Amino acid sequence: MRVPGVRTYAILMLGVGLLILLTLGWHMHDRLRAIQQAQAAEGEAAARLEFERAVENTLAQVAGLGEQIASWDEVRQQLAAPAYYTYWRDNRATAQGLWPVWVRGVELYDRQGRLLSEFNARLPARLPEGEEGVLMVLPEGGLCLLRFAEVVDPDDDLHGVLGYVGLRVDLLGALRGLHRFAYIDPESFRLRPGYQGVQPVGRAVEMIDYRTRQAGWISMLPELVRQTLLQFMTAFFILMAMNYLLVTRLFTRPLRRLRDELTQLRSGEPLALMARDTLPVRELREVREALHDYRRSLEQARDELDRTNVRLWAEAHIDALTGAYNRRAFEEDAARVQQETSESPFALLLLDCDFFKSINDTYGHETGDRVLQEIARLVSGELRRDDRLYRLGGDEFLAILWGAGEVQALQVAERCRMAVANHPVENLGIKERLRISIGVVASEPPHQDVRQLLRHADMAMYEAKRGLGEHKVVLFQAAMQSGLGEWSNRLVHAVLDAVDGGRGIVMHYQPVVEATTGEVSYYEALLRLRDAEGLIGPGEVLPIASRRGLATALDLAVLHSVRQDLESGAIPRGTGVAINFDGESILDPEVSSSIQLLARHAGDYKLVLEITETTLISRFELMSRALRHYRSLGIKVALDDFGSGYSSLRYLARMPVDIVKLDRSLVESYSQDAALRSMVVHVVEMLHGSGFAVVAEGIETESQRQDFQRLGVSYLQGWAFGRPERPAQPRQGPQAAA
C-alpha cells in the first residue's frame, strides 16, 4: 500500500477549503439574484412613468417650436413672395446653431397645404388631412415626428391663415436631447419592429422601445460580492501556500534536490547553483559540494574545447578585414539551401561599392580597407536578425535574407543604400560620398539553383550601377537577360546613349507668347532623340527611362543640352526657356547642382521649371523647400497641367509657384460646354487674383486665341504660334532686336 506524502495531505486541505468557499459564494449569489429581481420590477414601473412623461413633454416642446417659427415675419414674407424660398430655407431657416440638432428640416406650405418647393424637400408634398402632426417610420429604422402649425396674418382677420409651417424632428434624438433620465438608458431608444409608414402621434409611446437602468447600488453589488470572495480566496490560498512551502522546505526539499543533482550528474546535464537550506544537514551539503567540484572540472575542460572549435570555425568562415562571412561560408550555406526542401522564400542582395577603385587609387589601400569595413558595418546594422552578410571578394558583398519576398527584400536593400549614402565620410579621410549599387533577386519555393540566382542578382546590380540617386536598388527582371524587355533594341540603346553623355539628344522648342502683344516671351524645351532611323519622341523615351530607373539621369542630360543651347545662342537673348521635370529627380543633389549652373543665365534669360501638381502634392513639404530655393536663384516655377489632376485649391495657395498652366483639356472644352466655360472664367479670375501668371496651353485656332486673350491670360502656347522645332541658327529675341 502506498503511503501518502506531505504534499498529498496539503493538497487535500486546499481542496476542502476551496469547496467551502465555493458553497459560500453560491449562497451569496442566490441571495443577490433575489434582490436584483425585486429591484428590477420597481425600476420597470418607474421607467415607464418617466418615459411617458418625457414623450408628452417632447411633443409639447416641438409644438411650441412650430408655433414660434410660424410667428416669424420672415415666414409670412416667404409665403407672400416665395421666389427665394429655397435659398431662405437652406441658408437662413436651417442656419447652423439656430435649432437643436434633432430638428432635421423646416418647410412652408401654402393655404391649400402644398409645399412652396419640392426641391430637396424633407417633408411630404401635402399636409396630412386633419392632422397637426404624424409619425413617420424611416426605411433605415429611424422615427421622425412631422409637426405642422398655422401661419396667421395678424393684420388680416378676413382671410386668417396664410399657410403652414412643417417641422421634421428626429423624435428619438429629441428625447435624448431634451431630458435627463434616471431610470432609462437614453442611448437604448429604438423603434419597435413591426411599424412602418405613417402613424398617429398618439402611438409614440407604444412604438419606442428602451432599456431600463439599474440603481447604482444594485449594479455595484455583484462586483462588491465578487471582490469580497476573491479577497477571501486569495487570503486562503496564501495561507495554504505558506503552509505547503514551510513543510516542503523543512522535510522534503533537501532530499529531492540531492536526488535531482545525482540524476543530472548521471545524464551529463549541468548542475544548478547550490541554494542555502533553511535547516541545513551537514552530510548532505558535503556530498553536494563534492558533486559540484567534480562537475566544475568537467565543464572547464568542455568550455576550453568549445572556444577552440569556435576560433577555428571563425578563421575558416569569417572575413578577417570586415568581420562579415566569407565566400567559404556562402558556399556552405548555398549547398545547404540546395539540399534542404524549404517552404519559405529567401532573397539575395548583391552589393558593390561605386567607384571603389578610384578611392583605392586616390587615397591608398589603407583608406580603402576602412571604407570596406564601414560599409560592412552599416549594411549589417540594417539587416534583420537572422540575415547573413558575406564578402565575396574585393568590394563585393552578398546578403541572404531568409524568409523575405520581393517587397521586404527591396525595403531592406533601400535601408542599406540610405545608411551608406547618409554616412559622413570625413572620419574616413575621403571627400566623395559613399554609394553602393544593389541587385535584388527573390526566390519562392521550389527554389532555383543558387548559382543561377547569384547570376540574376549580378545582372540586377549591373543595372543598378547605371542608375543615379535613388535608383541604385534594382530588382531582377527576366527582361534583363536579353537586355530588350518590352521595348525594341533601338529604343533602349537610344535612351542609354542619351543618359551616357547626352548622345542623340536634340532639344526642340515651342514658343510661349505674351497674350497682349503676341511676342515670344520664352520657349518650352521638348525632348527628342535622334538615331540612324530618325527622331524618337518623348512618348517612347520616358516610359523606358522610368521603368529602367533612368529618369534622373535623363533629366541631367536634358539640363546639359538646354544649357549648351543657351550658351551657343540658339535661344534668343531676352526670351527664355521652360524645362519639364520628373517629380523625383528635382530633389536629387546632382540635379540641384545642374539647376544652379543653369541659374547663371537668369540675368539674360527667363528660366522656368515646370512640374505637375500631382508630383508637387505627393511630396509637398520636400518639394516646396526645393522650389523655394530655386526661386531664390531667379528661376520661375510653373505648375503644369492644372485642371487635369485633383487640383486642390487648399494646396494651391501654399504652392511656391509663379505660373499656372491650364491643361489643354480646359482649353478644348471652353468652346464646347457652357458650364465648363463659366468654370474656366472663374478659375482664371481666381488665379489672377492670387498673383499667378496664367498660361493657356493647346491654342490651335484663331477663335481660341481670341477667347483666351479676352479672358486676360498672361501667355498663350500652341500650334497657332509655332510647332516644336529645332532652331536652325541663333535668333534675335525681342529685347535684343530693340
Side-chain angles (χ1 to χ4, degrees):
M1 179 178 178
R2 185 175 181 180
V3 179
V6 176
R7 179 180 297 176
T8 303
Y9 286 110
I11 293 175
L12 181 61
M13 292 177 62
L14 185 64
V16 172
L18 180 60
L19 181 61
I20 294 173
L21 283 179
L22 290 176
T23 303
L24 178 62
W26 176 83
H27 178 71
M28 294 183 66
H29 177 73
D30 184 64
R31 298 302 303 162
L32 177 63
R33 184 172 53 190
I35 294 173
Q36 287 178 317
Q37 289 176 350
Q39 193 277 336
E42 295 178 3
E44 288 289 344
R48 181 69 178 180
L49 179 61
E50 182 181 46
F51 177 68
E52 292 176 352
R53 290 178 178 175
V55 172
E56 180 181 353
N57 181 266
T58 300
L59 295 177
Q61 291 197 42
V62 173
L65 181 60
E67 294 174 359
Q68 177 187 348
I69 298 174
S71 65
W72 278 13
D73 290 338
E74 291 183 10
V75 171
R76 289 191 288 272
Q77 293 171 4
Q78 292 300 317
L79 289 171
Y84 298 98
Y85 166 66
T86 56
Y87 174 82
W88 174 86
R89 178 195 64 192
D90 295 338
N91 293 274
R92 167 63 181 156
T94 59
Q96 184 175 6
L98 189 61
W99 308 115
V101 296
W102 38 264
V103 175
R104 299 300 176 83
V106 178
E107 298 287 350
L108 299 184
Y109 295 81
D110 59 15
R111 286 193 180 94
Q112 289 73 34
R114 295 189 302 268
L115 277 174
L116 293 189
S117 173
E118 297 185 14
F119 178 73
N120 286 338
R122 303 296 302 277
L123 274 75
R126 296 194 62 86
L127 286 175
E129 292 289 340
E131 297 286 348
E132 293 184 350
V134 294
L135 296 174
M136 184 171 66
V137 179
L138 302 179
E140 63 271 17
L143 183 61
C144 281
L145 169 63
L146 307 183
R147 181 70 189 187
F148 307 95
E150 294 181 347
V151 181
V152 180
D153 186 354
D155 300 326
D156 189 353
D157 297 333
L158 179 61
H159 295 90
V161 178
L162 292 175
Y164 302 88
V165 170
L167 291 180
R168 178 189 176 109
V169 174
D170 176 6
L171 184 55
L172 301 183
L175 285 171
R176 297 187 187 101
L178 292 174
H179 303 282
R180 294 182 179 272
F181 295 91
Y183 300 97
I184 298 175
D185 179 8
E187 298 302 324
S188 67
F189 286 146
R190 297 291 185 274
L191 177 67
R192 294 181 186 273
Y195 292 95
Q196 58 185 0
V198 178
Q199 302 288 339
V201 175
R203 304 189 70 178
V205 173
E206 66 182 69
M207 293 174 65
I208 300 175
D209 194 10
Y210 57 87
R211 185 173 60 251
T212 60
R213 286 175 172 163
Q214 286 186 335
W217 67 273
I218 289 295
S219 60
M220 294 171 58
L221 189 57
E223 182 62 25
L224 182 61
V225 172
R226 283 192 293 270
Q227 291 180 0
T228 303
L229 284 175
L230 181 61
Q231 292 170 359
F232 276 126
M233 295 180 69
T234 303
F236 173 78
F237 277 113
I238 291 175
L239 290 174
M240 294 299 297
M242 291 176 63
N243 179 68
Y244 176 80
L245 292 174
L246 181 61
V247 171
T248 54
R249 280 184 177 274
L250 288 176
F251 301 106
T252 62
R253 187 171 181 180
L255 291 175
R256 290 184 182 275
R257 185 184 299 122
L258 181 58
R259 181 199 63 187
D260 294 339
E261 291 176 356
L262 289 172
T263 303
Q264 292 172 358
L265 182 60
R266 184 170 57 247
S267 63
E269 298 177 5
L271 286 177
L273 294 176
M274 288 189 299
R276 184 177 297 275
D277 294 330
T278 306
L279 296 175
V281 180
R282 180 171 55 85
E283 290 78 8
L284 291 176
R285 178 165 290 277
E286 290 175 353
V287 173
R288 292 180 62 207
E289 289 177 352
L291 289 174
H292 278 275
D293 290 340
Y294 178 65
R295 175 52 62 90
R296 276 194 292 270
S297 63
L298 292 178
E299 289 178 348
Q300 289 174 359
R302 185 177 61 187
D303 290 343
E304 182 63 29
L305 182 60
D306 288 343
R307 284 194 293 270
T308 302
N309 290 335
V310 169
R311 178 174 54 81
L312 293 175
W313 187 92
E315 290 176 356
H317 296 83
I318 302 297
D319 178 59
L321 175 64
T322 63
Y325 292 98
N326 59 18
R327 180 177 285 275
R328 179 175 180 179
F330 169 70
E331 298 288 348
E332 293 180 1
D333 288 343
R336 177 167 54 84
V337 170
Q338 292 300 127
Q339 294 172 1
E340 295 179 355
T341 303
S342 175
E343 298 298 327
S344 300
F346 72 90
L348 301 181
L349 307 184
L350 189 60
L351 304 88
D352 183 87
C353 178
D354 295 346
F355 311 113
F356 179 73
K357 185 177 183 302
S358 299
I359 294 175
N360 238 0
D361 295 342
T362 303
Y363 301 100
H365 292 288
E366 184 178 348
T367 299
D369 290 346
R370 289 202 302 271
V371 168
L372 293 177
Q373 292 170 349
E374 198 65 18
I375 290 176
R377 184 185 68 82
L378 294 170
V379 171
S380 296
E382 299 300 327
L383 296 180
R384 304 168 308 164
R385 177 180 300 176
D386 297 329
D387 298 337
R388 283 193 169 191
L389 179 66
Y390 309 85
R391 183 187 177 199
L392 300 184
D395 61 325
E396 192 171 71
F397 294 85
L398 176 72
I400 298 182
L401 278 55
W402 306 108
E406 289 184 359
V407 175
Q408 193 170 13
L410 288 172
Q411 292 173 348
V412 174
E414 183 61 22
R415 290 204 309 265
C416 295
R417 184 194 71 81
M418 291 294 296
V420 174
N422 295 331
H423 183 68
V425 297
E426 292 78 8
N427 56 350
L428 295 176
I430 64 177
K431 298 180 180 180
E432 296 82 1
R433 188 176 67 173
L434 288 180
R435 294 175 179 157
I436 57 175
S437 300
I438 306 177
V440 182
V441 61
S443 178
E444 298 287 341
H447 295 297
Q448 304 178 44
D449 180 73
V450 177
R451 303 293 177 188
Q452 182 65 27
L453 292 175
L454 186 58
R455 285 192 290 271
H456 291 171
D458 187 67
M459 295 178 190
M461 187 189 70
Y462 174 74
E463 291 293 327
K465 291 185 73 68
R466 304 175 70 170
L468 293 174
E470 298 181 0
H471 304 291
K472 304 293 288 182
V473 176
V474 174
L475 178 68
F476 172 77
Q477 304 289 340
M480 294 178 184
Q481 298 184 85
S482 63
L484 297 178
E486 56 189 283
W487 298 285
S488 69
N489 198 26
R490 173 207 175 195
L491 294 177
V492 173
H493 281 93
V495 174
L496 293 177
D497 287 342
V499 301
D500 185 12
R503 294 192 300 273
I505 292 182
V506 183
M507 298 304 299
H508 282 50
Y509 298 91
Q510 185 177 32
V512 179
V513 305
E514 294 185 4
T516 55
T517 64
E519 296 183 351
V520 175
S521 178
Y522 61 95
Y523 296 86
E524 180 177 2
L526 301 171
L527 175 65
R528 302 290 188 272
L529 300 184
R530 184 185 299 278
D531 64 0
E533 299 183 27
L535 287 178
I536 303 174
E540 297 176 288
V541 173
L542 297 182
I544 300 176
S546 176
R547 184 68 175 272
R548 298 178 72 93
L550 300 175
T552 301
L554 188 62
D555 282 346
L556 283 170
V558 168
L559 277 168
H560 180 73
S561 297
V562 171
R563 199 164 61 245
Q564 284 185 328
D565 287 342
L566 291 175
E567 293 170 354
S568 68
I571 307 298
R573 290 182 178 272
T575 62
V577 63
I579 309 173
N580 289 281
F581 274 92
D582 178 80
E584 298 296 332
S585 67
I586 203 168
L587 299 175
D588 186 84
E590 293 186 42
V591 173
S592 178
S593 299
S594 185
I595 292 177
Q596 293 186 53
L597 291 176
L598 182 70
R600 297 175 181 176
H601 300 280
D604 298 323
Y605 296 93
K606 176 188 292 185
L607 304 178
V608 182
L609 305 183
E610 293 190 3
I611 186 168
T612 62
E613 58 175 333
T614 304
T615 299
L616 178 54
I617 293 176
S618 64
R619 303 182 67 181
F620 189 79
E621 296 301 331
L622 287 175
M623 296 294 293
S624 295
R625 284 197 295 270
L627 294 179
R628 280 194 290 268
H629 170 66
Y630 296 143
R631 293 173 75 191
S632 69
L633 301 176
I635 299 176
K636 302 289 186 180
V637 177
L639 186 65
D640 198 10
D641 297 337
F642 180 78
S644 64
Y646 40 78
S647 300
S648 174
L649 299 180
R650 179 168 61 92
Y651 281 102
L652 182 60
R654 298 171 52 207
M655 290 179 178
V657 299
D658 307 284
I659 302 170
V660 176
K661 297 187 70 174
L662 300 180
D663 186 66
R664 63 177 62 249
S665 62
L666 295 179
V667 174
E668 293 172 355
S669 60
Y670 180 83
S671 59
Q672 302 171 1
D673 189 301
L676 285 175
R677 182 184 305 118
S678 176
M679 182 194 70
V680 173
V681 171
H682 291 301
V683 166
V684 173
E685 292 176 352
M686 177 198 67
L687 293 174
H688 274 308
S690 301
F692 297 110
V694 182
V695 179
E697 188 178 17
I699 303 297
E700 298 181 0
T701 65
E702 177 63 21
S703 62
Q704 288 178 330
R705 184 192 67 79
Q706 294 177 1
D707 288 339
F708 282 87
Q709 191 178 43
R710 284 194 299 268
L711 283 180
V713 300
S714 307
Y715 304 102
L716 301 171
Q717 179 181 357
W719 288 1
F721 310 100
R723 294 174 178 265
E725 61 181 1
R726 178 69 189 165
Q729 57 186 5
R731 293 169 290 187
Q732 297 297 320
Q735 296 180 9

